Amino acid sequence: MIPMVDLKEELDILGEPIFKAIKEVLESGEYILGKKGKELEKQIASYVEASYGIGVGNGTDALYLALRALDIGPGDEVITTPFTFFATGEAIAQVGAKPVFVDIEEDTYNINPLKIREKITHDTKAILVVHLYGQTAKMKEIMEIADEFNLKVVEDACQAIGTEYKGKRVGGIGDIGCFSFFPSKSLGAYGDAGMVVTNDKNLYEKISKLRNHGSQIKYIHSTIGMNSRLDEFQAAILLVKLKYLDILLHKRSELAKRYTMKLNNLVKTPPLIESREHTFHQYCIELDERDQLASFLHQNEIASAIYYPIPLHLQEAFSYLNYHEGNFPVAEKAANKILALPIFPSMTFEKQDRIISALKKFIKIKF
Ligand SMILES: *Cc1c(COP(=O)(O)O)cnc(C)c1O
C-alpha cells in the first residue's frame, strides 16, 4: 500500500540525530518549558521572519490562544473559511465568538477576499485566514480589508510552514500566526505540538502567560489561562527536523510539479507553481467521479484522502449558526470533488509513477 504519508521512512534518514536529541532531553531532567523549547521558539520565529514564537500544545490551542490574546470573545464575530479543518472554526467558538463563513476561491480553495466585505458587521473583530494545503491565501487583499475596517488578522498556517507570499513567509504577515506540528504536517513532531508567532511584544507576553495558567511568575496568576505548553521532547525533535525543512519542502514541490505535468490534461490539478506560494502539504485534484477513483486507487493499493468531505457550515456542531446547503457553493462543490493524492518527501518517482498510471488507467476505463 502506498500511504498518504510515510513517517517511518523518514526515520530511516533522520533517525540518528533524532534519537540523539531525545536522549539529550531524557538526560537533561528538564521536560517542559526548558532550553529546547526556548530554542525552537527562537528558530521558528526566525524561520518565518517573525519577532517572537511561543511554543504551545498543538495547532488548535495556538488558534484559541491567538484569539484570546486579541480579546476576542462572546458578542464578537470572526470571519473565516468554511473549507478547512474543523479546528479553525472550533477555536472561534471556543473563545465564545461567532464564526462567520465566507466562500472560497475555485483555484486556491482559500477564502475569497472579494466576498469578505459583505460579511463585515460592527461586531466583526478579526479575519482568521487559512493557507489551505500549503497554498497562501490572498494576503494583500485581506490585509487591505483588515486595515480599512480595523480588524485583526490571524493566520492559520498549520498546513503552510515555509510558504511564501510576495517575499514574506506566512504566519508572520498578519497580527498572529499559528502553526501545528502534528506528525503528518510538513514539519511534524512525534506527538502533538504547536507554535504561535507574532511581531507584537505585548501579544507575545500575553500568549506566553495564557498558555501557562495566566502566570508569568510561579504561583502568581493575573488571568484565567490554560495549560498548553510544548514539551522538550517534541521541541528537540523539531529542532532536528527544522534543519531539513527546506529540503523536505523542495521534495514536495518537485513531486507536485510532476503530478501536475502528467495529470493536468486529465483532471483538475493545482497550477504549476514555481515559487514558494504553495508548499504542497497536500496535493489535491478534482473530478466528478471522485469516490469511484478513490476506491479504484484503494483496490490498486494506493491511499487517497478527502480534505474535507463536509464544509464547516454543514457540520452538526455548527448547526446553531443556521447555515444550510447552498450557502457556499464553491466550498460545497470542492467538498464533493476533491481528492488528495499521496505526497511526502521520501516518496520515490517510481512510487509516484505507479499512482499516476493507476489514475490514467481509471480515466481510460471510465471515458
Ligand atoms: C492541523 C490543523 C489544525 C490543528 O492543528 P492540531 O495541532 O492538530 O491541533 C488547525 N488548522 C488547520 C488548517 C490544520 O490543518
Side-chain angles (χ1 to χ4, degrees):
M1 191 81 180
I2 303 180
M4 288 301 289
V5 278
D6 195 329
L7 298 173
K8 277 199 358 239
E9 229 170 63
E10 185 183 272
L11 258 186
D12 294 342
I13 306 160
L14 300 178
E16 210 174 303
I18 283 175
F19 290 139
K20 192 169 153 262
I22 290 173
K23 190 158 174 275
E24 261 173 50
V25 174
L26 264 177
E27 288 169 353
S28 74
E30 196 178 46
Y31 306 116
I32 284 171
L33 292 185
K35 280 194 277 300
K36 297 280 189 190
K38 267 253 157 306
E39 183 58 28
L40 185 71
E41 288 174 343
K42 232 174 73 189
Q43 288 195 21
I44 294 283
S46 140
Y47 183 83
V48 307
E49 296 155 0
S51 309
Y52 307 99
I54 308 110
V56 298
N58 54 67
T60 310
D61 286 354
L63 293 166
Y64 169 84
L65 288 163
L67 296 171
R68 278 285 310 273
L70 294 170
D71 296 319
I72 291 168
D76 296 333
E77 294 179 359
V78 177
I79 287 175
T80 195
T81 166
F83 197 58
T84 175
F85 179 54
F86 185 70
T88 312
E90 189 178 34
I92 298 170
Q94 278 172 347
V95 299
K98 180 180 169 191
V100 173
F101 300 118
V102 167
D103 210 353
I104 55 169
E105 301 178 308
E106 296 250 0
D107 53 343
T108 65
Y109 304 104
N110 285 320
I111 192 166
N112 188 339
L114 299 174
K115 294 182 177 167
I116 293 178
R117 274 192 176 78
E118 62 200 66
K119 294 294 176 68
I120 295 172
T121 71
H122 56 271
D123 291 327
T124 310
K125 292 285 151 45
I127 306 173
L128 176 43
V129 184
V130 181
H131 306 291
L132 199 71
Y133 306 144
Q135 181 168 24
T136 171
K138 298 229 159 51
M139 289 307 287
K140 178 172 168 279
E141 289 82 348
I142 292 163
M143 296 305 286
E144 276 168 11
I145 295 167
D147 272 351
E148 186 183 332
F149 293 92
N150 198 20
L151 308 176
K152 300 293 181 189
V153 173
V154 176
E155 296 179 73
D156 179 342
C158 287
Q159 300 186 4
I161 192 156
T163 296
E164 288 174 9
Y165 179 80
K166 296 190 194 297
K168 281 190 181 170
R169 294 235 162 118
V170 301
I173 301 171
D175 295 278
I176 303 182
C178 301
F179 294 96
S180 165
F181 306 123
F182 183 79
S184 64
K185 301 282 154 108
S186 296
L187 177 63
Y190 295 137
D192 276 314
M195 180 82 59
V196 185
V197 300
T198 181
N199 294 311
D200 183 319
K201 186 153 189 255
N202 181 42
L203 290 174
Y204 162 70
E205 284 169 358
K206 244 167 137 176
I207 297 163
S208 304
K209 257 197 224 177
L210 283 170
R211 66 143 178 209
N212 192 26
H213 305 292
S215 166
Q216 194 165 25
I217 302 159
K218 222 175 189 181
Y219 307 125
I220 299 177
H221 305 267
S222 57
T223 182
I224 304 296
M226 71 192 296
N227 174 4
S228 183
R229 301 168 302 212
L230 177 67
D231 80 67
E232 289 287 286
F233 286 108
Q234 302 307 337
I237 290 159
L238 289 164
L239 279 167
V240 172
K241 289 176 86 175
L242 183 58
K243 287 194 202 121
Y244 298 91
L245 182 57
D246 283 327
I247 298 171
L248 299 176
L249 293 180
H250 180 72
K251 287 250 179 178
R252 282 179 185 276
S253 86
E254 237 178 28
L255 290 162
K257 231 179 275 175
R258 268 184 109 240
Y259 266 142
T260 297
M261 278 177 341
K262 296 183 185 217
L263 298 177
N264 65 4
N265 54 352
L266 302 172
V267 291
K268 183 182 168 194
T269 66
L272 272 179
I273 295 173
E274 295 293 340
S275 67
R276 280 272 285 265
E277 285 192 16
H278 200 328
T279 48
F280 293 98
H281 170 60
Q282 298 297 348
Y283 185 90
C284 292
I285 59 169
E286 250 187 72
L287 76 170
D288 291 336
E289 301 74 15
R290 185 265 313 273
D291 295 331
Q292 284 169 280
L293 173 61
S295 46
F296 182 83
L297 291 175
H298 185 79
Q299 283 158 23
N300 286 277
E301 308 240 301
I302 296 163
S304 63
I306 300 169
Y307 306 116
Y308 295 91
I310 304 172
L312 300 200
H313 68 288
L314 301 178
Q315 293 283 354
E316 190 186 345
F318 286 126
S319 59
Y320 69 94
L321 295 171
N322 290 315
Y323 286 107
H324 53 81
E325 221 173 304
N327 282 146
F328 305 111
V330 185
E332 289 165 27
K333 189 176 128 218
N336 288 327
K337 296 188 175 187
I338 205 115
L339 191 68
L341 300 177
I343 189 164
F344 50 91
S346 65
M347 186 159 84
T348 58
F349 288 160
E350 214 178 318
K351 266 192 188 149
Q352 189 185 27
D353 286 340
R354 238 185 79 201
I355 301 166
I356 293 164
S357 320
L359 210 144
K360 284 186 170 162
K361 200 164 140 200
F362 173 80
I363 301 275
K364 213 168 183 179
I365 296 167
K366 234 25 242 173
F367 301 99

